């Protein structure tokens, strides 16, 4: 592992932040909240890790990296998305299609980890969006998929799939193992 590493993250309810702190502990790298850092600072590093929560398949705050990709393309870039989905091949394809257009996926290494969902703590807008989704699922004629069933369960009680061991593949990749 060589060069300076920056980890930039954006987390709305804390799951991505938890992963970011664990990664920072393992790599002993500099860590920044997305809204408290600018691109000039990020460009001082050789390796950049961007971590963001998933909202309607979009990676929160990733625009900062995307719009500066030409300046970053000389560097090693790692992208981590955190969401509730199971992380199936189809899920990953959807996330990549939504966030990594125009060959962007070839310029970085992508990782996905499961976060959590606590319906009761959601802010008004997010709660409304999730209520609409629940109604849609409740009225669905076809049988629910595993993921949809899992999601409905999140309305009943909080779910947290975060675990420090989940970061191992990402850490090993960065350390070049
Ligand atoms: C309104 C809303 C939309 C979401 N959309 C997705 C999604 O498209 N895919 C997914 O896997 N997770 C989705 N999630 C789940 C979040 O990504 C998950 O709660 C994650 O842990 C959030 O990370 P954060 O707490 O760091 O912001 C959504 C959550 C909310 C509240």
């Amino acid at each position: 592992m060589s060069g300076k590493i920056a980890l930039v993250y954006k987390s709305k309810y804390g799951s991505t932040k938890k992963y970011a702190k664990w990664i920072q502990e393992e790599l002993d790298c500099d860590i920044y909240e997305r809204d408290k850092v600018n691109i000039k600072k990020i460009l001082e590093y050789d390796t950049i890790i961007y971590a963001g929560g998933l909202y309607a398949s979009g990676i929160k705050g990733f625009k900062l990296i995307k719009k500066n990709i030409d300046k970053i393309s000389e560097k090693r870039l790692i992208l981590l998305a955190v969401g509730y989905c199971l992380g199936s091949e189809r899920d990953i394809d959807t996330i990549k299609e939504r966030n990594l257009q125009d060959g962007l996926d070839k310029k970085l290494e992508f990782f996905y980890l499961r976060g959590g969902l606590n319906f009761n703590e959601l802010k008004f807008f997010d709660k409304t969006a999730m209520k609409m989704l629940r109604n849609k699922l409740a009225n669905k004629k076809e049988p629910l998929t595993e993921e949809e069933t899992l999601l409905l369960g999140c309305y009943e009680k909080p779910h947290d799939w975060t675990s420090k061991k989940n970061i191992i593949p990402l850490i090993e990749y960065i350390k070049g193992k």
Side-chain angles (χ1 to χ4, degrees):
M1 190 167 70
S2 64
K4 280 169 62 175
I5 305 175
L7 192 160
V8 182
Y9 73 92
K10 178 131 179 134
S11 180
K12 217 165 167 183
Y13 298 103
S15 304
T16 310
K17 183 175 181 175
K18 216 195 278 180
Y19 279 124
K21 299 268 178 200
W22 282 330
I23 295 167
Q24 194 264 339
E25 267 170 39
E26 285 304 307
L27 298 175
D28 197 21
C29 60
D30 291 344
I31 184 167
Y32 301 97
E33 267 185 66
R34 151 71 181 83
D35 296 345
K36 294 183 184 156
V37 70
N38 56 33
I39 195 66
K40 194 164 165 264
K41 186 80 202 162
I42 295 174
L43 291 172
E44 290 174 13
Y45 293 84
D46 308 291
T47 295
I48 297 151
I49 307 166
Y50 186 87
L54 272 174
Y55 290 88
S57 301
I59 301 169
K60 205 121 192 100
F62 183 54
K63 225 180 266 172
L64 172 75
I65 302 293
K66 249 171 134 167
K67 69 177 187 214
N68 290 289
I69 197 68
D70 290 343
K71 296 179 200 149
I72 292 174
S73 57
E74 301 293 297
K75 307 191 180 270
R76 191 155 73 131
L77 182 58
I78 291 105
L79 175 62
L80 167 63
V82 178
Y84 61 52
C85 68
L86 293 167
S88 66
E89 212 171 302
R90 197 161 151 250
D91 292 334
I92 304 301
D93 285 347
T94 307
I95 299 168
K96 286 186 172 175
E97 274 162 28
R98 171 82 163 70
N99 298 277
L100 306 176
Q101 301 89 349
D102 305 325
L104 192 52
D105 58 331
K106 297 197 173 63
K107 296 182 179 161
L108 52 80
E109 192 68 20
F110 177 80
F111 290 87
Y112 169 76
L113 294 178
R114 292 186 83 195
L117 197 61
N118 181 350
F119 185 70
N120 290 324
E121 76 167 0
L122 297 180
K123 291 179 185 131
F124 178 76
F125 181 82
D126 288 338
K127 203 175 245 183
T128 308
M130 294 307 283
K131 273 185 190 163
M132 281 163 65
L133 184 57
R134 178 172 56 184
N135 291 342
K136 203 174 135 196
L137 293 180
N139 292 321
K140 201 179 157 195
K141 291 197 179 66
E142 303 83 44
L144 297 179
T145 63
E146 184 188 356
E147 193 146 316
E148 288 167 342
T149 308
L150 180 153
L151 182 58
L152 279 183
C154 291
Y155 293 88
E156 309 303 325
K157 66 177 172 70
H159 280 61
D160 182 2
W161 299 278
T162 58
S163 162
K164 190 171 179 182
K165 68 174 176 10
N166 296 348
I167 67 170
I168 294 171
L170 184 148
I171 299 295
E172 289 187 343
Y173 172 78
I174 293 174
K175 288 187 172 171
K177 279 188 195 160

